[in-house]
Amino acid sequence: MAYFGPNMMFADLKCSPSCTRAGVHGTVSICPPDCFQYKGTLDVFNKIIRQEGFARLWRGTNAGLALAVPTVGIYLPCYDIFRNWMEGLAEQYMPAAIPYAPLVAGSLARSLACATCYPIELARTRMQAYKDTQIGKKPPGVFSTLLGVLSDVKGRNPQSSLQGYRIFWTGMGAQLARDVPFSGICWSTLEPTRRKLLGLVGEESDVFTVLGANFSAGFFAGSLAAAATCPLDVAKTRRQIEKDPVRALQMTTRQTLMEVWGDGGMRGLFTGVGPRVGRAGPSVGIVVSFYEVVKYALHHRYASS
């Protein structure tokens, strides 16, 4: 996370009254500018805990869970279907294309899951960016956050109807620009890695072998893909937290990347790469390994019945 400038959600945030560094301007508690300038992962943790409390590190968890269940439910089964179908076609008509099937299948499956679940992703990002300015004020939930996003649009243009709902997909282009390469890199790395690991034990694989091979391959592939696509993640986050609805609808991924480059150069493009890699590696490893273990168990149960 970094300071995003005068048009961003973070720019006009006022410190919580619990912040010991806050000064008083009239009746409003104001913090020094460095309270909203983060120098690294540990600095982010320190300032959030100091200003808002330890529990706020888990803000947006309900939205994260609401997002993860349908996303994984669409993403992984669709990936399996697309990959098997593409490998079958490639084997029949173009054997040289078989290694590229995971890359294309992963990209298509992720695009489908992203487009379906994107409004929840938008709500999760905005909930994490929300900052308390009053003691005892409860942060908004998923539904309230989405209603707030829509009311901003209708407040500026009361005549807008269905077009106003486009705001729910604000930044989806940046999300796809991030997730499609992420999935392509991830699956094209994960498939050969786990096949090689499983090949080391041959036919003697069991549940623990399947779990270990898939977790190791997923951890490695997820970490690599997360590091490579970090600039696109920064662009996606900037677009999602843009508070001006008109500008939010007009922003493009290329324009946002150029702004990030102008503000911080290469370092700005890779802001937050450590936390992103630290989250993506274990996340991909856990999801893929447990998904494959369930498939393994169901297959053996079906085969033995």
Side-chain angles (χ1 to χ4, degrees), residues 187-231:
W187 288 110
S188 58
T189 305
L190 190 151
E191 285 290 356
T193 303
R194 73 174 170 187
R195 285 173 181 172
K196 188 168 185 177
L197 290 173
L198 289 171
L200 295 176
V201 295
E203 299 296 326
E204 300 178 1
S205 61
D206 54 18
V207 172
F208 297 104
T209 304
V210 172
L211 180 68
N214 279 280
F215 180 82
S216 300
F219 186 95
F220 173 69
S223 300
L224 178 65
T229 58
C230 185

Side-chain angles (χ1 to χ4, degrees), residues 189-289:
T189 305
L190 190 151
E191 285 290 356
T193 303
R194 73 174 170 187
R195 285 173 181 172
K196 188 168 185 177
L197 290 173
L198 289 171
L200 295 176
V201 295
E203 299 296 326
E204 300 178 1
S205 61
D206 54 18
V207 172
F208 297 104
T209 304
V210 172
L211 180 68
N214 279 280
F215 180 82
S216 300
F219 186 95
F220 173 69
S223 300
L224 178 65
T229 58
C230 185
L232 297 167
D233 186 56
V234 173
K236 187 261 317 181
T237 303
R238 277 214 180 191
R239 291 184 65 183
Q240 285 183 326
I241 64 172
E242 171 59 52
K243 66 179 182 179
D244 183 347
V246 176
R247 187 171 187 270
L249 292 172
Q250 294 174 347
M251 291 172 74
T252 64
T253 301
R254 181 179 177 278
Q255 171 195 343
T256 308
L257 287 172
M258 293 301 293
E259 289 179 2
V260 175
W261 175 267
D263 292 342
M266 186 63 70
R267 184 175 181 179
L269 290 174
F270 284 89
T271 299
V273 65
R276 175 163 162 73
V277 170
R279 172 187 177 274
S283 176
V284 174
I286 291 169
V287 171
V288 171
S289 59

Side-chain angles (χ1 to χ4, degrees), residues 169-197:
W169 280 267
T170 298
M172 192 178 78
Q175 174 103 351
L176 288 172
R178 180 200 71 175
D179 282 5
V180 170
F182 178 92
S183 294
I185 295 169
C186 183
W187 288 110
S188 58
T189 305
L190 190 151
E191 285 290 356
T193 303
R194 73 174 170 187
R195 285 173 181 172
K196 188 168 185 177
L197 290 173

Side-chain angles (χ1 to χ4, degrees), residues 34-82:
D34 62 300
C35 271
F36 304 110
Q37 295 174 359
Y38 302 116
K39 300 174 183 177
T41 305
L42 294 179
D43 191 43
V44 173
F45 284 136
N46 177 51
K47 287 178 179 175
I48 290 176
I49 293 171
R50 187 182 70 207
Q51 295 173 21
E52 305 176 67
F54 188 75
R56 292 306 185 215
L57 293 173
W58 277 264
R59 180 185 295 127
T61 299
N62 55 343
L65 292 174
L67 174 67
V69 173
T71 298
V72 173
I74 295 170
Y75 182 31
L76 293 183
C78 285
Y79 167 74
D80 273 346
I81 293 169
F82 293 156

